[in-house]
Coordinates of all heavy atoms in Angstrom, one line a residue:
P29 N 8.1 29.9 1.2 CA 8.0 30.2 2.7 C 7.4 29.0 3.4 O 6.5 28.3 2.9 CB 7.2 31.4 2.7 CG 6.4 31.4 1.5 CD 7.2 30.7 0.5
S30 N 7.8 28.8 4.7 CA 7.3 27.8 5.5 C 5.9 28.2 6.1 O 5.8 29.3 6.6 CB 8.3 27.5 6.6 OG 7.7 26.6 7.5
C31 N 5.0 27.4 6.1 CA 3.7 27.7 6.7 C 3.6 27.2 8.1 O 2.7 27.6 8.8 CB 2.6 27.0 5.9 SG 2.4 27.6 4.2
S32 N 4.5 26.4 8.5 CA 4.3 25.8 9.9 C 4.8 26.8 10.9 O 4.2 26.9 12.0 CB 5.2 24.5 10.0 OG 6.5 24.8 9.7
A33 N 5.8 27.6 10.7 CA 6.3 28.6 11.6 C 5.7 29.9 11.3 O 5.9 30.5 10.3 CB 7.8 28.7 11.6
S34 N 4.9 30.4 12.2 CA 4.2 31.7 12.0 C 4.9 32.8 12.9 O 5.2 32.5 14.1 CB 2.7 31.7 12.3 OG 2.5 31.3 13.6
N35 N 5.1 33.9 12.3 CA 5.8 35.0 13.1 C 4.7 36.0 13.5 O 4.0 36.5 12.6 CB 6.8 35.7 12.2 CG 7.6 36.7 12.9 OD1 7.4 36.9 14.1 ND2 8.6 37.3 12.3
P36 N 4.4 36.2 14.8 CA 3.3 37.0 15.2 C 3.5 38.5 14.8 O 2.5 39.2 14.6 CB 3.2 36.9 16.7 CG 4.6 36.3 17.1 CD 5.1 35.6 15.9
T37 N 4.7 39.0 14.6 CA 4.9 40.3 14.2 C 4.6 40.6 12.8 O 4.3 41.7 12.4 CB 6.3 40.8 14.5 OG1 7.2 40.0 13.8 CG2 6.6 40.7 16.0
S38 N 4.7 39.6 11.9 CA 4.4 39.8 10.5 C 2.9 39.8 10.2 O 2.5 40.1 9.1 CB 5.1 38.7 9.7 OG 4.5 37.4 10.0
S39 N 2.1 39.4 11.1 CA 0.7 39.3 10.9 C -0.1 40.5 11.3 O -1.3 40.5 11.5 CB 0.1 38.1 11.5 OG 0.2 38.2 12.9
K40 N 0.6 41.6 11.6 CA -0.1 42.9 12.0 C -0.9 43.4 10.8 O -0.4 43.4 9.7 CB 0.9 43.9 12.5 CG 1.5 43.6 13.8 CD 2.4 44.8 14.2 CE 3.0 44.5 15.6 NZ 3.8 45.6 16.1
T41 N -2.1 43.8 11.1 CA -2.9 44.4 10.1 C -2.9 45.9 10.3 O -2.9 46.5 11.4 CB -4.3 43.9 10.2 OG1 -4.9 44.2 11.5 CG2 -4.4 42.4 9.9
K42 N -3.1 46.6 9.2 CA -3.1 48.1 9.2 C -4.5 48.5 9.5 O -5.5 48.1 8.9 CB -2.7 48.6 7.8 CG -2.8 50.1 7.7 CD -2.4 50.6 6.3 CE -2.7 52.0 6.2 NZ -2.5 52.5 4.9
K43 N -4.6 49.3 10.6 CA -6.0 49.8 11.0 C -6.2 51.2 10.4 O -5.3 52.0 10.5 CB -6.1 49.8 12.5 CG -6.0 48.5 13.1 CD -6.4 48.5 14.5 CE -6.4 47.1 15.1 NZ -6.9 47.0 16.4
R44 N -7.3 51.3 9.7 CA -7.6 52.6 9.1 C -8.1 53.6 10.2 O -8.8 53.2 11.1 CB -8.6 52.4 8.0 CG -8.1 51.7 6.8 CD -9.2 51.7 5.8 NE -8.7 51.0 4.6 CZ -8.3 51.6 3.5 NH1 -8.3 52.9 3.4 NH2 -7.8 50.9 2.5
K45 N -7.8 54.8 10.0 CA -8.3 55.9 10.9 C -9.4 56.6 10.2 O -9.5 56.6 8.9 CB -7.2 56.9 11.2 CG -6.0 56.3 11.9 CD -6.3 56.1 13.3 CE -5.0 55.6 14.0 NZ -5.3 55.3 15.4
Y46 N -10.3 57.2 10.9 CA -11.4 58.0 10.4 C -10.8 59.2 9.7 O -9.9 59.9 10.2 CB -12.4 58.4 11.5 CG -13.5 59.2 10.9 CD1 -14.5 58.7 10.2 CD2 -13.5 60.6 11.2 CE1 -15.6 59.4 9.7 CE2 -14.5 61.4 10.7 CZ -15.6 60.8 10.0 OH -16.6 61.6 9.5
D47 N -11.4 59.5 8.5 CA -11.0 60.7 7.8 C -12.2 61.6 7.6 O -13.3 61.0 7.4 CB -10.4 60.3 6.4 CG -9.8 61.4 5.6 OD1 -9.8 62.5 6.1 OD2 -9.3 61.1 4.5
E48 N -12.0 62.9 7.6 CA -13.2 63.8 7.5 C -13.9 63.7 6.1 O -15.0 64.0 6.0 CB -12.7 65.2 7.7 CG -12.4 65.5 9.1 CD -13.5 65.4 10.1 OE1 -14.7 65.8 9.7 OE2 -13.3 64.9 11.2
S49 N -13.2 63.1 5.1 CA -13.8 63.0 3.8 C -14.9 61.9 3.8 O -15.6 61.8 2.9 CB -12.7 62.6 2.8 OG -12.1 61.4 3.0
Y50 N -14.9 61.0 4.8 CA -15.9 60.0 4.9 C -17.3 60.6 5.2 O -18.3 59.9 5.1 CB -15.6 59.0 6.0 CG -14.3 58.2 5.7 CD1 -13.7 57.5 6.8 CD2 -13.8 58.1 4.5 CE1 -12.5 56.8 6.5 CE2 -12.6 57.4 4.2 CZ -12.0 56.7 5.3 OH -10.8 56.0 5.0
L51 N -17.3 61.8 5.6 CA -18.6 62.5 5.8 C -19.4 62.6 4.5 O -20.6 62.7 4.5 CB -18.3 63.9 6.4 CG -19.5 64.6 7.0 CD1 -20.2 63.7 8.1 CD2 -19.1 65.9 7.6
Q52 N -18.7 62.7 3.4 CA -19.4 62.7 2.1 C -20.2 61.5 1.8 O -21.1 61.5 1.0 CB -18.5 63.0 1.0 CG -17.6 61.9 0.6 CD -16.6 62.3 -0.5 OE1 -16.7 63.4 -1.1 NE2 -15.6 61.4 -0.7
Y53 N -19.9 60.4 2.5 CA -20.7 59.1 2.4 C -21.7 59.0 3.5 O -22.4 58.0 3.6 CB -19.7 57.9 2.4 CG -18.6 58.0 1.4 CD1 -17.3 58.1 1.8 CD2 -18.9 58.1 0.0 CE1 -16.3 58.2 0.8 CE2 -17.9 58.2 -0.9 CZ -16.6 58.2 -0.5 OH -15.6 58.3 -1.5
G54 N -21.8 60.0 4.4 CA -22.8 60.0 5.4 C -22.3 59.2 6.7 O -23.1 58.7 7.4
F55 N -21.0 59.2 6.9 CA -20.5 58.5 8.1 C -19.7 59.4 9.0 O -19.0 60.3 8.5 CB -19.6 57.3 7.6 CG -20.4 56.1 7.2 CD1 -20.8 56.0 5.9 CD2 -20.7 55.1 8.1 CE1 -21.5 54.9 5.4 CE2 -21.4 54.0 7.6 CZ -21.9 53.9 6.3
T56 N -19.8 59.1 10.3 CA -19.0 59.8 11.3 C -18.3 58.6 12.1 O -18.5 57.5 11.7 CB -19.8 60.7 12.2 OG1 -19.0 61.4 13.1 CG2 -20.8 59.9 13.0
C57 N -17.6 59.0 13.1 CA -16.8 58.0 13.8 C -17.2 57.8 15.2 O -17.6 58.8 15.9 CB -15.3 58.4 13.8 SG -14.2 57.2 14.6
S58 N -17.2 56.6 15.7 CA -17.5 56.3 17.1 C -16.3 55.4 17.6 O -15.9 54.5 16.9 CB -18.8 55.6 17.2 OG -19.0 55.2 18.5
S59 N -16.0 55.6 18.9 CA -14.9 54.8 19.5 C -15.6 53.8 20.4 O -16.4 54.1 21.3 CB -13.9 55.6 20.3 OG -13.2 56.5 19.4
H60 N -15.2 52.5 20.2 CA -15.7 51.4 21.1 C -14.5 50.5 21.4 O -13.9 50.0 20.4 CB -16.8 50.7 20.4 CG -17.4 49.7 21.2 ND1 -18.2 49.9 22.4 CD2 -17.4 48.3 21.1 CE1 -18.6 48.8 22.9 NE2 -18.1 47.8 22.2
N61 N -14.2 50.3 22.6 CA -13.0 49.5 23.0 C -11.7 49.9 22.4 O -11.0 49.1 21.8 CB -13.3 48.0 22.7 CG -14.4 47.4 23.5 OD1 -14.7 47.9 24.6 ND2 -15.0 46.4 23.0
N62 N -11.5 51.2 22.4 CA -10.3 51.9 21.8 C -10.1 51.5 20.3 O -9.0 51.4 19.8 CB -9.0 51.5 22.5 CG -9.0 52.1 23.9 OD1 -9.6 53.1 24.1 ND2 -8.3 51.4 24.8
E63 N -11.3 51.4 19.6 CA -11.3 51.1 18.2 C -12.3 51.9 17.5 O -13.4 52.0 17.9 CB -11.6 49.6 18.0 CG -11.4 49.1 16.6 CD -11.7 47.6 16.4 OE1 -12.6 47.1 17.1 OE2 -10.9 47.0 15.7
E64 N -11.8 52.7 16.5 CA -12.7 53.5 15.7 C -13.6 52.7 14.8 O -13.1 51.8 14.1 CB -11.9 54.5 14.9 CG -11.2 55.6 15.7 CD -10.5 56.6 14.8 OE1 -10.3 56.3 13.7 OE2 -10.2 57.6 15.4

Side-chain angles (χ1 to χ4, degrees):
S30 172
C31 295
S32 61
S34 62
N35 189 356
T37 59
S38 66
S39 65
K40 286 186 179 181
T41 58
K42 178 182 173 187
K43 293 191 179 190
R44 291 185 180 256
K45 300 281 185 184
Y46 178 75
D47 189 359
E48 290 296 323
S49 66
Y50 296 161
L51 194 58
Q52 70 184 353
Y53 306 118
F55 281 88
T56 187
C57 181
S58 173
S59 294
H60 184 69
N61 294 335
N62 291 333
E63 188 174 42
E64 291 183 341

